[in-house]
Amino acid sequence: MFVVKLVLKNALRHKLRTILTILGIAIAVAAFGFIRTIVTAWSAGVEASAENRMITRHAVSFIFTLPYSYRDQIAGIQGVEEVSYANWFGGNYKDASDWKNFFPRVAVDPDTYFSLYPEYIVPADQLEAFKRERNSCIVGAKLAREQGFKLGDVIPIEGDIFPGKWEFTVRGIYEGKDKTADETQMFFHWNYLNERIKELQPGREGQIGWYVLKVSNATDMTRVARAVDGLYENSRARTKTETEKEFQQSFVSMSSSIITSLKAASYLIIGIILLVLANTIVMAARERMREYAVLKTIGFKKSHIIGLIGGESMMIAIIGGAIGLALTFPAAGALAAAFPTFFPIVNVEPMTIVFASAIALLAGIVAALFPASRAVRMKIADGLRSLG
Amino acid sequence: MATSNGRAMIEVKNVTKSYHRDSIEIPVLRDLSIQVPEGEFLALMGPSGSGKTTLLNLIAGIDRPDRGEVLVGGTDIGTMGESDLAKWRSSHVGFIFQFYNLLPVLTAFENVELPLLLTRLSKGERKARVDLALKLVGLAERMSHYPKQLSGGQEQRVAIARAIVTDPTVLVADEPTGDLDKVSAGEIMELLERLNKEFGKTIVMVTHDPRAASKAHKVMNLDKGELV
Amino acid sequence: MKIPLSYSWRSLWTRRLTTTLTLFGIALVVFVFATVLMLAHGIEVALIETGSDDNAIVLRRAANSEIVSQIDRDAANIMKTLPEVALRPDGKPIASAESFVIINLSKKESNDMGNISVRGISPQALEMRPQVKITEGRMFTFGTREIILGDNLPKRFQGCEIGQQIQFGEASWTIVGHFIAQGSAFESEIWGDVEQFMPAFGRPVFSSMTVRLTSPAAFDAFKARVEQDPRTQMAEAKRERQYYREQSELMAAFIRILGLLVTFIFSIGAVIGAVITMFAAVANRTVEIGTLRALGFRRRAVLGAFLIESILLSLIGGVLGVGLAALMSFVQISTVNFGTFSELAFGFALSPSIIVSSLVFAVAMGILGGFSPAVRAARLNILAALREA
């Protein structure tokens, strides 16, 4: 108990130094949490993947399309419960150089798509309105908030992959089932796309970007993948079928260098935390060498000395860490607000909190190791002579 | 001369101590033997480097001899383990330093209380002893002051209170008046004299100051690690 | 009277442990700062090298990159004949209509796939891009299913050696050569005959066309003609250099923002470390300071000495940090360029301005960190300081 009291009093001795150290640790811990949140946000799509969904795309790369005729054949494969399809539309909304205007624009099969993605919840009447109207669209709630889309608004898009001026009327707004669902997408009728393309660029119609498969049993997935790809092995358009998780992961791994760099940066930050804390604790311990010698003379033991130094180190680390963790949340919030469509899902994961806390605690221990061992090993006579 | 009881409180037998700096060995005490009877007030004098502080440290249990024995109150402290030595110190020795060495973040009361925290006494019991010690040194009304609010002489008196609060049998003082003006020095020496005469504490004191030495019963001179 | 420099230097040396810790902290921050700038610069260099002022590239209007652009054959033929397009000695226009797709290849270090750009070129393409040099093997023969690979591909991806074949577009393509292109984006591409690629991909239209202008000044006239002719007005001309710069903007901006954010955080840590160290230095040397003042050195001299100490510390840390960052020049990064969605290799490019900015940054941290402590040192009262002995 006394050790605790002395630790507190000692920390208050140099208020400025203690506050600066806590601040330094807080900022570093917040940065660590922030960077890890960016990394987890990058892979958010992977985590959100459904257990029993698969994606079939062109084997060469997803910029090549598959024929519409594949649909029925794929639906006929045993184990495939339901099939839907989609095309990446792309295009530009307003000024494309402002990245806030980027959001996913996807042409889908209105009858099946939303039943394959039950995590996108659309009010029944809106879904009906969407299905009825050819050039309507359904947008995500987050997107609607960001861009101010309301039911009935017309969204003009300048096409690039599919050139021309396009307009879509908002007939529905979907909400995610939980916070892992992406609410920044815009979906419209594939038929609408197909018909217009037939007029504008005859020969390009009847093409699908990718098929979405719902498989009855997760255990069937490997077999289904092989069956689908086997069907088209010798066709002009070969397919590659994989689980949705693998599909999402392939996007993430494209940026693996960046993600690795971010992770490296977060580890370096740990180094900073340690340096700042160690600097302070080494200094504080050195100043008080004589006092430790006096305490030893009076009869206090090694464990007391360790408790004093370690205690101060831990206390600063814990307070700094707690403040840093608290700061991580608004920082993550700022990230989500700045790039709503690049990082549609930004959550501070429990693992991140655990890591950050562990690092603060470890730093508290490690920073005290050297000065504590020095103080413990010091001969009393030498300590009494030290000038601090 | 006060009466000594005759029994040796402190026995230093054929003690040798050297210091090692890099690879050089510097002998400080050579085959030294002294005896201090119970209740004696001993002054150790000698030039710088004569080994008097080293001898003091051995007696106080802060250091261990390379060869020889150190017995205090019949206990061989020269071979005790670190942990046992610490425990022994807390109840048997009171140390008074030249530079007082009070903890700046604690009040006078809390500084004096320090040695008692190592015992099993309750808060109330500790308070009683601290009050007593502070009264003895004449600083009862300053107990909630911090060291920087006290004069040099007052700080040393608090340090003495700390040294006696556990009622140790031996008091060890290293240049207790070294940093004080004439008046304060005089007060401190009177206090030590009182502790010795009235309370029968055995005191071993290292000093340069002949006036301080004159208060002791006996003076031993050391030079180059040997009695002269 | 000025306090000698050796005072500041030796004071740092006496407190070696904390000096070293602070030094490392500053070096680390400067390292991160310089590295981030070098990375963003590296992307720009890689992409700008890809372009030349003599060339103009034509894409579909509203298309931000070749991958989403389409130019039909008729429009291409018309544009080739415009007067601003340079001619070869034999009278043929120096223009290359190209088609552009992405295929997947497996990386070497993991089994992940990367997006690789495949560019179908016309025979004049090499003339327009003199920076391209074959390093191994030979150029492919037009009219055949031969291809050449940019140098980055055999380094990072499987199946890219000469003699091997890559499958796409329902055909096998034989690798006959590797090429380099001054570190530009082309080094991450596969090149082949556009007239072979188009039917294989099932794409009857080109993605883009690049032309060599008669002179860089001819660009404006060329652009005007393309946009005013009703047969070609769905297209848009850009200077090649500008097009590639735009391709790098998103990526470079992203890296710069993220990187500078990280640097900012690091620098706070370093400044705090420096401040704490310097405050302690001042506190431990009150007697020294009092002595100096008693000897006749003025407050300003004391302030100066401490500031210099702080600046020395940060300058040394800065040089160390820049030195370490320079080592990063040997590192190459390969990742997906957000702008084009295909693989791009780039390195860390050091430039004189980056060195200067980093050192200035270091010194700024030193001044920031050392200022308050130096002021406190200067303000000490002589007598009070001396009495602290």
Side-chain angles (χ1 to χ4, degrees), chain C residues 99-361:
Chain C
S99 89
F100 193 94
V101 295
I102 290 180
I103 65 166
N104 293 139
L105 288 179
S106 296
K107 292 187 186 167
K108 267 185 174 162
E109 81 244 356
S110 61
N111 272 320
D112 294 334
M113 303 291 255
N115 286 348
I116 309 299
S117 308
V118 175
R119 182 185 294 275
I121 60 174
S122 309
Q124 297 82 353
L126 286 170
E127 253 176 88
M128 276 187 306
R129 299 178 178 129
Q131 72 268 41
V132 175
K133 299 201 181 355
I134 305 276
T135 49
E136 249 185 277
R138 59 173 173 82
M139 175 58 180
F140 65 81
T141 312
F142 282 88
T144 67
R145 286 195 171 157
E146 292 176 349
I147 54 177
I148 55 175
L149 266 50
D151 204 39
N152 186 40
L153 297 179
K155 279 187 201 149
R156 298 203 185 258
F157 293 90
Q158 300 173 19
C160 293
E161 298 308 321
I162 298 188
Q164 288 184 312
Q165 297 194 325
I166 301 184
Q167 313 274 5
F168 53 85
E170 194 203 319
S172 282
W173 307 79
T174 313
I175 304 172
V176 298
H178 292 155
F179 66 91
I180 55 168
Q182 271 180 5
S184 67
F186 294 140
E187 282 183 10
S188 299
E189 293 182 356
I190 297 177
W191 284 10
D193 182 350
V194 64
E195 299 296 347
Q196 293 291 315
F197 281 166
M198 276 164 64
F201 296 150
R203 291 178 165 226
V205 296
F206 299 113
S207 303
S208 66
M209 191 164 80
T210 306
V211 305
R212 169 65 65 91
L213 299 166
T214 46
S215 79
F219 173 74
D220 293 321
F222 177 73
K223 181 176 168 71
R225 271 190 218 275
V226 165
E227 287 166 19
Q228 279 153 25
D229 186 336
R231 299 166 300 172
T232 57
Q233 68 183 177
M234 78 290 287
E236 189 184 353
K238 284 193 177 141
R239 285 197 190 275
E240 199 182 21
R241 264 231 145 109
Q242 185 208 342
Y243 168 70
Y244 282 105
R245 188 181 301 124
E246 283 168 11
Q247 299 301 301
S248 75
E249 261 166 20
L250 189 57
M251 197 70 172
F254 180 77
I255 288 191
R256 222 181 270 118
I257 291 182
L258 210 56
L260 289 178
L261 198 71
V262 170
T263 305
F264 172 68
I265 305 230
F266 278 52
S267 58
I268 290 189
V271 167
I272 287 182
V275 169
I276 292 179
T277 306
M278 291 308 295
F279 266 126
V282 170
N284 287 324
R285 287 145 66 182
T286 37
V287 175
E288 265 174 62
I289 298 169
T291 310
L292 284 170
R293 300 264 286 117
L295 285 175
F297 289 97
R298 311 194 51 164
R299 285 192 204 278
R300 249 175 306 171
V302 172
L303 176 79
F306 275 86
L307 257 183
I308 287 181
E309 218 174 287
S310 186
I311 292 177
L312 257 179
L313 195 63
S314 55
L315 204 57
I316 296 176
V319 168
L320 198 65
V322 171
L324 284 172
L327 288 178
M328 292 297 279
S329 312
F330 295 111
V331 175
Q332 264 226 331
I333 294 210
S334 187
T335 189
V336 146
N337 178 1
F338 302 162
T340 62
F341 220 66
S342 49
E343 192 87 6
L344 178 66
F346 47 93
F348 294 84
L350 193 58
S351 76
S353 83
I354 291 182
I355 297 179
V356 170
S357 327
S358 306
L359 290 176
V360 167
F361 176 64

Side-chain angles (χ1 to χ4, degrees), chain A residues 375-388:
Chain A
V376 159
R377 275 182 294 119
M378 157 201 66
K379 287 209 175 9
I380 298 182
D382 293 331
L384 288 174
R385 266 197 298 260
S386 96
L387 293 164

Side-chain angles (χ1 to χ4, degrees), chain A residues 16 20-21 24 31 34 57 60-63 92 160-161 163 201 204 236 253-254 256-257 269 279-280 283, chain C residues 60 62 64 68 70 102-104 107 112 115 170 199 261 265-266 272-273 276-277 279-280 334-336 341:
Chain A
L16 184 62
L20 281 177
T21 310
F34 179 65
R57 58 158 176 100
V60 174
S61 84
F62 54 73
I63 76 155
N92 297 321
D160 49 17
I161 308 177
Q201 299 181 325
R204 267 189 84 180
R236 191 183 174 85
S253 14
M254 281 177 213
S256 58
S257 305
I269 286 181
N279 198 13
T280 297
M283 230 181 268
Chain C
R60 183 151 197 126
N64 291 321
V68 296
Q70 301 131 50
I102 290 180
I103 65 166
N104 293 139
K107 292 187 186 167
D112 294 334
N115 286 348
E170 194 203 319
L261 198 71
I265 305 230
F266 278 52
I272 287 182
I276 292 179
T277 306
F279 266 126
S334 187
T335 189
V336 146
F341 220 66

